[in-house]
Amino acid sequence: MAARTNAEAETAARTNAEAQTAVPVNAAAETAAGADDAARAAGRTAEELARAAEREAATLLGPPAPNRLGDVVPAPERVEPDAAADYLLAVDAVIRVSADPAAVAVARQLAALLRPATGYPLPVTDTTAPVPAGGIALVLTDEIALGAEGYRLDISTDGVRIAAGTAAGLAHGVQTLRQLLPAAVESATPVTERWVLPGGSILDRPRYPHRGAMLDVARHFFGVTDVLRVIDHLARYKLNRLHLHLTDDQGWRIAIDSWPRLATVGGAGAVGDAPGGYYTRADYQRIVGYAAERHITVIPEVDLPGHTNAALTAYGELAPDRAAPAPYTGTEVGFSYVDPASERTYDFVADVLGEIAALTPGRWLHIGGDEAFKVPAEVYAGFVDRTQRIVAGLGRDVIGWHQIAPAPHRDGRILQWWGTTGEDPVTAEAVRRGARLVLSPGNHAYLDMKYAPNTPIGHDWAGLIDVRRAYDWDPATHLADVPAEAVLGVEAPLWTESVTTLAEIEYMLFPRLPAIAELGWSPRSTHDWDSFRRRLAGHGPRWATAGITYHRSAELPWPATPVPAPRSPSPGADQAEQPSVSGRDEPPVRPGSVPDRG
Ligand code: TNX
């Protein structure tokens, strides 16, 4: 079948699905007999033939798959539905996988995703194992066209096959498969459901290599469990970078052996009277490892030379006046800085970045660089230059907020754009000197902005960002005088001056994070607000079932949220990690919540 656009493919699928519902029982049997002939020609045993016929009849006799093949966020590159090829996952299905440790890990993750709701055993075996057909195969291939992260998904009555050149590609294919199953697949306990997938093929590859989100753990601290759950959210939408904003005026959140008071003193507080905290080296490694298993690279940020009040409370010797300031619990910015004229400062920078680099397998170190209002421009550029050299000496590439643009170029340098104007000659000039860009425009991608005036948390200094505004821009043309080739991708930052709990994180992420994810992944040819809002609305029941808090924006046509019927009571089930409220419209307004800083 020739490639079609999503919209065409979906229309065709709908027509097919309608026709299919009308298939009479004897026609189903005939189709099954046809499948038998094909299987015999392929040299299958009588038992396999019988099973194939049974599977096909079971698929055809039931209602069609509840989801259409194109109902995926981010939108896949190419979708070719075949409504006669729906696949019904059976209780005895097996997951087969290529003999490669990273691929096997993806297969285990798939089994772990499907087992709770289906209650099926779903054993994972080698692709060469003599098991009956009819399960799910994850296959590493050498199809170079699939690239570093692409995958091909083929769903037929006989089985499901995900092929990719890398384990990352398989993992993305698994997330697509997950979205194509009924929403009840998100249930933590067994549910009575027909686990049917829509038939056909998907070929999918990302538009950009860098697709990220940022979590500010400095303004409010979030423990390891919360961060792991955020990583799961990123993986769902095929994001591949988690930027952790580890240090700021209000808190230093990572243990540094050579400067121990950074964490123990600098990590003690947070905004307001919220508790502080920091990650031990083991905590940080757990986060990095969990992300890596999900093909997500952690990008640690140490914000320099400004946003350093917490560091200065621990080591006054780094302050321009050599005096440790009081801890800061407010939400102003731009007042603090480490002394760029002191050699001790560069010892500090080298030690901190060196220790963090040693714990970070990824290629990038983020050095912040924003809002150092009190450092004169020339001194600032010199500080950034030296810090960039330290990063290069550690064998890493530097990322900084776009304020680092005036500093000299270094190979691999990435600027993160967070402006709201769509043009900046200084950034464009740095790009001409070789820098590349990650786009986080404050007025589209900042997840700490309110959705609407009545959003109980968040800011509005970059405007209100509803779902449509998060979706309606094009990374390739967003910044004037910057060629499309200089854009590496997108990132959605979540600053947390006003965000204090996991539920509030999720409320700001959903449903906007998937909008940014789609801009980073999907080809521009699929960009279509009506299609996006319809596909995204279908995720409401998934989030509700998974216990994920989200904003029920009036922009999206939400389906009624079904409550999955538990198959059997599970009194022993540990619900401790489920948030107490899910799918609610607004998070509670907290007394003394942080005022907007305008
Ligand atoms: C600006 S964006 C900041 C952060 C604040 C944020 C609040 C950037 C690089 N700096 O320090 O948290 O605004 O929206």
Side-chain angles (χ1 to χ4, degrees):
M1 200 189 292
R4 289 180 291 187
T5 64
N6 272 350
E8 285 166 350
E10 278 165 15
T11 311
R14 232 184 343 263
T15 318
N16 285 348
E18 278 154 17
Q20 184 193 311
T21 335
V23 170
V25 173
N26 57 352
E30 271 168 34
T31 319
D36 281 5
D37 291 344
R40 192 165 300 133
R44 295 215 210 136
T45 64
E47 195 191 331
E48 281 176 330
L49 288 173
R51 281 169 161 279
E54 208 177 286
R55 273 198 303 275
E56 185 140 1
T59 311
L60 291 174
L61 289 171
N67 298 308
R68 289 180 273 170
L69 193 66
D71 283 348
V72 176
V73 178
E77 181 176 320
R78 228 201 269 178
V79 178
E80 296 172 11
D82 178 354
D86 283 4
Y87 169 75
L88 183 68
L89 186 72
V91 63
D92 59 352
V94 170
I95 298 176
R96 290 175 302 132
V97 60
S98 296
D100 167 89
V104 171
V106 174
R108 295 216 173 102
Q109 285 163 20
L110 171 62
L113 288 178
L114 302 184
R115 280 177 192 143
T118 62
Y120 297 171
L122 299 167
V124 174
T125 74
D126 201 86
T127 32
T128 56
V131 291
I136 302 172
L138 306 186
V139 185
L140 284 178
T141 67
D142 51 11
E143 261 185 274
I144 20 178
L146 294 174
E149 294 188 276
Y151 66 93
R152 185 190 298 279
L153 169 64
D154 294 298
I155 301 173
S156 71
T157 48
D158 257 4
V160 174
R161 183 175 186 269
I162 302 175
T166 61
L170 292 178
H172 295 318
V174 160
Q175 294 298 338
T176 295
L177 180 83
R178 179 189 198 182
Q179 290 188 18
L180 292 173
L181 282 163
V185 74
E186 300 293 339
S187 170
T189 52
V191 170
T192 303
E193 179 64 272
R194 282 183 89 241
W195 303 108
V196 58
L197 286 161
S201 298
I202 287 179
L203 172 77
D204 205 7
R205 289 171 297 197
R207 182 183 187 192
Y208 291 111
H210 184 120
R211 307 177 307 279
M214 186 203 81
L215 182 63
D216 170 8
V217 294
R219 271 53 178 273
H220 281 96
F221 180 66
F222 300 92
V224 174
T225 321
D226 290 351
V227 178
L228 301 191
R229 183 159 158 118
V230 168
I231 290 170
D232 287 337
H233 298 339
L234 268 52
R236 241 177 224 274
Y237 294 100
K238 303 186 173 75
L239 296 171
N240 63 358
R241 308 276 187 263
L242 172 65
H243 168 185
L244 284 178
H245 183 75
L246 289 168
T247 69
D248 214 303
D249 291 319
Q250 298 85 347
W252 183 283
R253 306 301 181 199
I254 183 163
I256 303 293
D257 284 351
S258 52
W259 296 72
R261 291 204 309 277
L262 287 171
T264 56
V265 175
V271 165
D273 45 21
Y278 63 88
Y279 306 124
T280 63
R281 295 166 65 91
D283 289 340
Y284 178 75
Q285 283 176 299
R286 195 167 154 224
I287 291 170
V288 165
Y290 188 88
E293 283 164 17
R294 282 144 191 86
H295 305 279
I296 291 171
T297 303
V298 169
I299 301 176
E301 177 185 351
V302 177
D303 204 346
L304 297 163
H307 289 273
T308 39
N309 194 77
L312 301 179
T313 62
Y315 293 98
E317 67 203 82
L318 299 172
D321 61 1
R322 308 287 181 264
Y328 184 68
T329 59
T331 61
E332 294 302 319
V333 296
F335 56 89
S336 63
Y337 61 103
V338 289
D339 184 3
S342 160
E343 281 308 305
R344 196 74 186 121
T345 291
Y346 299 96
D347 294 342
F348 156 80
V349 171
D351 291 344
V352 166
L353 293 179
E355 285 197 32
I356 293 177
L359 300 178
T360 305
R363 191 169 132 194
W364 300 277
L365 295 178
H366 199 306
I367 60 168
D370 57 318
E371 300 173 320
F373 298 142
K374 295 207 168 154
V375 183
E378 242 168 69
V379 177
Y380 171 86
F383 174 88
V384 172
D385 187 27
R386 263 186 91 168
T387 303
Q388 290 186 157
R389 284 167 199 270
I390 290 170
V391 171
L394 293 165
R396 304 304 164 98
D397 289 341
V398 75
I399 309 191
W401 298 106
H402 72 263
Q403 276 73 20
I404 71 165
H409 180 67
R410 298 224 53 111
D411 281 348
R413 189 161 99 114
I414 298 173
L415 308 184
Q416 184 170 4
W417 170 257
W418 62 280
T420 56
T421 57
E423 67 170 313
D424 180 31
V426 183
T427 297
E429 165 59 18
V431 169
R432 280 192 287 279
R433 286 187 281 126
R436 285 181 300 165
L437 286 186
V438 167
L439 293 178
S440 303
N443 52 338
H444 293 282
Y446 262 35
L447 301 184
D448 63 320
M449 293 301 124
K450 292 172 185 266
Y451 290 92
N454 65 350
T455 305
I457 54 174
H459 308 288
D460 63 7
W461 67 261
L464 300 170
I465 303 183
D466 58 14
V467 186
R468 184 161 194 166
R469 190 163 182 80
Y471 182 70
D472 258 354
W473 58 287
D474 182 357
T477 55
H478 185 72
L479 209 54
D481 300 321
V482 165
E485 308 80 67
V487 175
L488 279 178
V490 295
E491 184 186 296
L494 180 62
W495 301 100
T496 59
E497 286 95 334
S498 69
V499 176
T500 63
T501 62
L502 177 64
E504 289 176 350
I505 291 176
E506 291 179 340
Y507 179 80
M508 299 309 261
L509 257 49
F510 294 108
R512 293 181 295 193
L513 182 69
I516 304 300
E518 178 145 321
L519 292 177
W521 179 279
S522 306
R524 192 65 188 173
S525 57
T526 64
H527 191 86
D528 177 57
W529 167 247
D530 286 329
S531 157
F532 178 68
R533 67 192 277 273
R534 188 189 56 72
R535 282 180 285 115
L536 185 59
H539 289 220
R542 289 171 192 276
W543 299 331
T545 307
I548 298 172
T549 301
Y550 67 101
H551 168 56
R552 264 181 97 83
S553 162
E555 305 162 87
L556 304 185
W558 303 105
T561 300
V563 180
R567 186 156 49 204
S568 56
S570 46
D574 179 8
Q575 298 289 316
E577 295 205 352
Q578 299 276 338
S580 53
V581 191
S582 68
R584 66 185 179 210
D585 191 23
E586 304 292 339
V589 182
R590 285 167 287 103
S593 59
V594 183
D596 201 281
R597 74 177 171 85

